[in-house]
Amino acid sequence: MAQVSSSLKSENDAMRLRRADNLKARKLNQNIWYVLLWIGSLVTVAILLAVIGYVMAEGLKVVNWEFLTTPPRGGLSGEGGISTTIVTTLYLVGLTLVFATPLGLGAAIFLVEYAGDQSINNKFIAGLIQFAHFGVETLAGIPSIIFGLFGYALFVSTLSLGWSLLSASLAGACLILPTIIRTTEEALLTVPRDLRQGSLALGATKWQTLTKVVLPAAMPGIVTGVILSVGRIISETAVFFVTLGGSYRMPTSIMDSGRTMALHLYYLAMDTRAFDKAMGTAAILIITIIIINLVIDQISRRLTRGVRGMQ
Amino acid sequence: MTDHDLETPFKTKLETKDYSLYYGKFKALNEISIKIPEKQVTALIGPSGCGKSTFLRTFNRMNDLIPGVSVTGSALMDGMDIFGLDVVNLRQNVGMVFQKPNPFPKSIFDNVAYGPRVNGLRDRERIHEIVERSLRGAALWDEVKDDLNKSGLALSGGQQQRLCIARALAVQPTVILMDEPAASLDPIATLRIEELIHRLAENYTIVIVTHNMQQAGRVSDYTAFFYTDETRTGQLVEFDRTHVIFTRPKDPRTEQYITGRFG
């Protein structure tokens, strides 16, 4: 008995020693990884700041009130401001969202909330839904110039809408539809089943449950999708290069041709000697994206007051 | 099978006859016949997976939401076929409180007003009245009357559960189903819910699923013991007054379960 307990005791001591030993090693290991992760995040932020800082430092030199309020003069000199391109960009973003948001939301809501139920008893609908999902995934991975070519073929030529805000926004809507559908689907799927059941158990219909409980709870995710889409439209060049025309005049109707800031930047950098103006446009482009993100974020906070559990 | 057809001295509110439920081909509930008395608290107890929650959800047809469910036999409320009623209408009469408190991400006021509003009530004053009465009914009014605009999610777990009870009361049901309403609460919050159940039984028929034997003993007038064997098919073993189930159960399985020998 005594022997057993003493041998047990020494074994315990040995284990304790070993533990103390490799504790040091384990802590060292942890610290090394900690430092590596830190470096990773620092480098990322540094690159981001370098890009933005460089563009801002170079660009803001030419930015003044006149630059913002006069239209480009055209031609090879690249002289003039960017007023019309700012306006065109905003028009195009708005018009594209008008087309894409209802369609995208509708598709996502149908796929998540309704199609699932129906597909259980109906093989045809099940297949259709699978195909729709496959289509959305594929569209999300297609290079944007292909949307441009499609937009050119269908909207500009076949439907004779010409190079116009209308053609461009329809093509742009095709481009961002997959993003909106996928983010909305994900947002809807994260709404807890408990909430839906709670609503149905109170005698709400499925539609009431959807509009009064599910959609408000999913709103932050949906808004994220819209913000991503806005960013894509603002920064897109390929699609609008072939559908929007490129006129630097102020558009007065949706049938007018136009030039977004990103397109203008492209023209300036490729076709003119006004590299400083290109930088200035880039700076305004970045600022616009930041402002739009902040505004949409504020709107979504308003819309979802209470979702986060505070006033 | 033992005697299910206990005649209570009370009017029968909810009733099933030879009620079986299937998930696809799998039989989850086997020929359950029970008469649940009006304005009494009836506890459904039994080991996990015995189908007591599924059975509870028969009475507000929440099982309709699960694809592939089919039933045989009958389920009645006030003598009327539950499956013949309009489901939205049924759920206005049969409220439900869930295991995990599930307040909507809305203000306390809007949570309680939700039911009346979806049922078409627009009159602001009436809604105000109903909200206050329901919150009082759920013993929550005094704690929240000054911040009705605060999010329901900002409340503690026990308060959230009472908010969910208030939300159910606001629709003015006659039956309240409770699916382990205190399972996620601490002992003090549990006690408050139990006191509340006692009070609610004056006006409502309450059916409560619970895993907690003491809770069943404390809150219920009647107890139904469900059991399942290797087949995983749930059956009703015994139904009687709670004190009878706890002191002189007829079935040896009931006695074993009550005394904690399995489950």
mmCIF file of all heavy atoms in Angstrom, chain A residues 68-90:
data_model
loop_
_atom_site.group_PDB
_atom_site.id
_atom_site.type_symbol
_atom_site.label_atom_id
_atom_site.label_comp_id
_atom_site.label_asym_id
_atom_site.label_seq_id
_atom_site.Cartn_x
_atom_site.Cartn_y
_atom_site.Cartn_z
ATOM 1 N N LEU A 68 -14.618 70.771 -58.533
ATOM 2 C CA LEU A 68 -15.839 70.020 -58.248
ATOM 3 C C LEU A 68 -17.042 70.551 -59.026
ATOM 4 O O LEU A 68 -17.999 69.826 -59.250
ATOM 5 C CB LEU A 68 -16.163 70.078 -56.752
ATOM 6 C CG LEU A 68 -15.192 69.364 -55.820
ATOM 7 C CD1 LEU A 68 -15.584 69.603 -54.367
ATOM 8 C CD2 LEU A 68 -15.154 67.872 -56.120
ATOM 9 N N THR A 69 -16.992 71.830 -59.414
ATOM 10 C CA THR A 69 -18.217 72.432 -59.962
ATOM 11 C C THR A 69 -18.160 72.733 -61.452
ATOM 12 O O THR A 69 -19.143 73.204 -62.013
ATOM 13 C CB THR A 69 -18.554 73.746 -59.222
ATOM 14 O OG1 THR A 69 -17.386 74.564 -59.237
ATOM 15 C CG2 THR A 69 -18.984 73.486 -57.800
ATOM 16 N N THR A 70 -17.026 72.460 -62.096
ATOM 17 C CA THR A 70 -17.008 72.680 -63.550
ATOM 18 C C THR A 70 -16.938 71.340 -64.276
ATOM 19 O O THR A 70 -16.333 70.396 -63.770
ATOM 20 C CB THR A 70 -15.797 73.530 -63.994
ATOM 21 O OG1 THR A 70 -14.627 72.956 -63.391
ATOM 22 C CG2 THR A 70 -15.945 74.960 -63.561
ATOM 23 N N PRO A 71 -17.566 71.274 -65.431
ATOM 24 C CA PRO A 71 -17.525 70.030 -66.199
ATOM 25 C C PRO A 71 -16.168 69.856 -66.862
ATOM 26 O O PRO A 71 -15.429 70.837 -67.020
ATOM 27 C CB PRO A 71 -18.631 70.228 -67.239
ATOM 28 C CG PRO A 71 -18.817 71.694 -67.351
ATOM 29 C CD PRO A 71 -18.415 72.295 -66.048
ATOM 30 N N PRO A 72 -15.809 68.646 -67.240
ATOM 31 C CA PRO A 72 -14.553 68.424 -67.962
ATOM 32 C C PRO A 72 -14.631 69.166 -69.295
ATOM 33 O O PRO A 72 -15.705 69.294 -69.880
ATOM 34 C CB PRO A 72 -14.527 66.909 -68.196
ATOM 35 C CG PRO A 72 -15.595 66.333 -67.332
ATOM 36 C CD PRO A 72 -16.588 67.398 -67.083
ATOM 37 N N ARG A 73 -13.467 69.640 -69.777
ATOM 38 C CA ARG A 73 -13.495 70.382 -71.017
ATOM 39 C C ARG A 73 -13.347 69.438 -72.221
ATOM 40 O O ARG A 73 -13.594 69.823 -73.346
ATOM 41 C CB ARG A 73 -12.373 71.441 -71.026
ATOM 42 C CG ARG A 73 -12.742 72.672 -71.816
ATOM 43 C CD ARG A 73 -11.662 73.718 -71.697
ATOM 44 N NE ARG A 73 -11.539 74.255 -70.346
ATOM 45 C CZ ARG A 73 -10.399 74.757 -69.855
ATOM 46 N NH1 ARG A 73 -9.308 74.782 -70.592
ATOM 47 N NH2 ARG A 73 -10.358 75.228 -68.626
ATOM 48 N N GLY A 74 -12.943 68.219 -71.952
ATOM 49 C CA GLY A 74 -12.795 67.250 -73.028
ATOM 50 C C GLY A 74 -11.489 67.431 -73.756
ATOM 51 O O GLY A 74 -10.670 68.290 -73.407
ATOM 52 N N GLY A 75 -11.274 66.602 -74.771
ATOM 53 C CA GLY A 75 -10.064 66.696 -75.549
ATOM 54 C C GLY A 75 -8.882 66.073 -74.851
ATOM 55 O O GLY A 75 -8.989 65.512 -73.769
ATOM 56 N N LEU A 76 -7.693 66.227 -75.467
ATOM 57 C CA LEU A 76 -6.507 65.538 -74.986
ATOM 58 C C LEU A 76 -5.885 66.193 -73.765
ATOM 59 O O LEU A 76 -5.138 65.568 -73.034
ATOM 60 C CB LEU A 76 -5.458 65.480 -76.094
ATOM 61 C CG LEU A 76 -5.701 64.394 -77.150
ATOM 62 C CD1 LEU A 76 -4.598 64.446 -78.200
ATOM 63 C CD2 LEU A 76 -5.762 63.021 -76.487
ATOM 64 N N SER A 77 -6.213 67.475 -73.537
ATOM 65 C CA SER A 77 -5.566 68.170 -72.427
ATOM 66 C C SER A 77 -6.034 67.640 -71.072
ATOM 67 O O SER A 77 -5.293 67.638 -70.113
ATOM 68 C CB SER A 77 -5.874 69.669 -72.514
ATOM 69 O OG SER A 77 -7.249 69.873 -72.213
ATOM 70 N N GLY A 78 -7.280 67.160 -71.031
ATOM 71 C CA GLY A 78 -7.805 66.688 -69.749
ATOM 72 C C GLY A 78 -8.107 67.830 -68.814
ATOM 73 O O GLY A 78 -8.213 67.623 -67.611
ATOM 74 N N GLU A 79 -8.238 69.024 -69.349
ATOM 75 C CA GLU A 79 -8.522 70.177 -68.483
ATOM 76 C C GLU A 79 -9.957 70.154 -67.983
ATOM 77 O O GLU A 79 -10.791 69.359 -68.427
ATOM 78 C CB GLU A 79 -8.279 71.481 -69.256
ATOM 79 C CG GLU A 79 -6.807 71.756 -69.509
ATOM 80 C CD GLU A 79 -6.007 71.797 -68.225
ATOM 81 O OE1 GLU A 79 -6.384 72.549 -67.304
ATOM 82 O OE2 GLU A 79 -5.004 71.049 -68.118
ATOM 83 N N GLY A 80 -10.242 71.032 -67.064
ATOM 84 C CA GLY A 80 -11.603 71.154 -66.553
ATOM 85 C C GLY A 80 -11.797 70.365 -65.269
ATOM 86 O O GLY A 80 -10.862 69.764 -64.740
ATOM 87 N N GLY A 81 -13.034 70.390 -64.751
ATOM 88 C CA GLY A 81 -13.338 69.717 -63.487
ATOM 89 C C GLY A 81 -14.019 68.382 -63.698
ATOM 90 O O GLY A 81 -13.830 67.733 -64.734
ATOM 91 N N ILE A 82 -14.822 67.993 -62.688
ATOM 92 C CA ILE A 82 -15.471 66.687 -62.787
ATOM 93 C C ILE A 82 -16.954 66.757 -62.406
ATOM 94 O O ILE A 82 -17.557 65.736 -62.084
ATOM 95 C CB ILE A 82 -14.779 65.648 -61.883
ATOM 96 C CG1 ILE A 82 -14.767 66.129 -60.427
ATOM 97 C CG2 ILE A 82 -13.376 65.346 -62.383
ATOM 98 C CD1 ILE A 82 -14.367 65.037 -59.457
ATOM 99 N N SER A 83 -17.554 67.966 -62.409
ATOM 100 C CA SER A 83 -18.919 68.089 -61.871
ATOM 101 C C SER A 83 -19.891 67.115 -62.521
ATOM 102 O O SER A 83 -20.636 66.417 -61.835
ATOM 103 C CB SER A 83 -19.412 69.525 -62.081
ATOM 104 O OG SER A 83 -19.586 69.779 -63.452
ATOM 105 N N THR A 84 -19.861 67.008 -63.873
ATOM 106 C CA THR A 84 -20.858 66.155 -64.526
ATOM 107 C C THR A 84 -20.640 64.684 -64.202
ATOM 108 O O THR A 84 -21.594 63.912 -64.130
ATOM 109 C CB THR A 84 -20.792 66.338 -66.052
ATOM 110 O OG1 THR A 84 -19.457 66.061 -66.473
ATOM 111 C CG2 THR A 84 -21.164 67.753 -66.446
ATOM 112 N N THR A 85 -19.362 64.299 -63.985
ATOM 113 C CA THR A 85 -19.131 62.870 -63.707
ATOM 114 C C THR A 85 -19.632 62.496 -62.318
ATOM 115 O O THR A 85 -20.091 61.378 -62.114
ATOM 116 C CB THR A 85 -17.638 62.520 -63.830
ATOM 117 O OG1 THR A 85 -16.929 63.137 -62.760
ATOM 118 C CG2 THR A 85 -17.067 62.989 -65.151
ATOM 119 N N ILE A 86 -19.555 63.449 -61.359
ATOM 120 C CA ILE A 86 -20.113 63.166 -60.028
ATOM 121 C C ILE A 86 -21.614 62.934 -60.146
ATOM 122 O O ILE A 86 -22.154 61.949 -59.632
ATOM 123 C CB ILE A 86 -19.834 64.329 -59.047
ATOM 124 C CG1 ILE A 86 -18.325 64.497 -58.848
ATOM 125 C CG2 ILE A 86 -20.515 64.072 -57.709
ATOM 126 C CD1 ILE A 86 -17.969 65.658 -57.944
ATOM 127 N N VAL A 87 -22.269 63.849 -60.865
ATOM 128 C CA VAL A 87 -23.722 63.743 -61.016
ATOM 129 C C VAL A 87 -24.098 62.435 -61.719
ATOM 130 O O VAL A 87 -24.981 61.695 -61.282
ATOM 131 C CB VAL A 87 -24.268 64.952 -61.794
ATOM 132 C CG1 VAL A 87 -25.751 64.770 -62.094
ATOM 133 C CG2 VAL A 87 -24.029 66.227 -61.015
ATOM 134 N N THR A 88 -23.378 62.120 -62.820
ATOM 135 C CA THR A 88 -23.673 60.887 -63.552
ATOM 136 C C THR A 88 -23.517 59.669 -62.651
ATOM 137 O O THR A 88 -24.336 58.747 -62.668
ATOM 138 C CB THR A 88 -22.736 60.762 -64.774
ATOM 139 O OG1 THR A 88 -22.856 61.950 -65.551
ATOM 140 C CG2 THR A 88 -23.104 59.559 -65.618
ATOM 141 N N THR A 89 -22.457 59.663 -61.849
ATOM 142 C CA THR A 89 -22.227 58.530 -60.960
ATOM 143 C C THR A 89 -23.410 58.340 -60.017
ATOM 144 O O THR A 89 -23.923 57.226 -59.852
ATOM 145 C CB THR A 89 -20.939 58.741 -60.136
ATOM 146 O OG1 THR A 89 -19.869 58.996 -61.033
ATOM 147 C CG2 THR A 89 -20.623 57.531 -59.289
ATOM 148 N N LEU A 90 -23.848 59.450 -59.397
ATOM 149 C CA LEU A 90 -24.948 59.344 -58.442
ATOM 150 C C LEU A 90 -26.231 58.886 -59.137
ATOM 151 O O LEU A 90 -26.943 58.010 -58.627
ATOM 152 C CB LEU A 90 -25.167 60.690 -57.739
ATOM 153 C CG LEU A 90 -23.997 61.127 -56.845
ATOM 154 C CD1 LEU A 90 -24.303 62.460 -56.184
ATOM 155 C CD2 LEU A 90 -23.678 60.079 -55.790
#
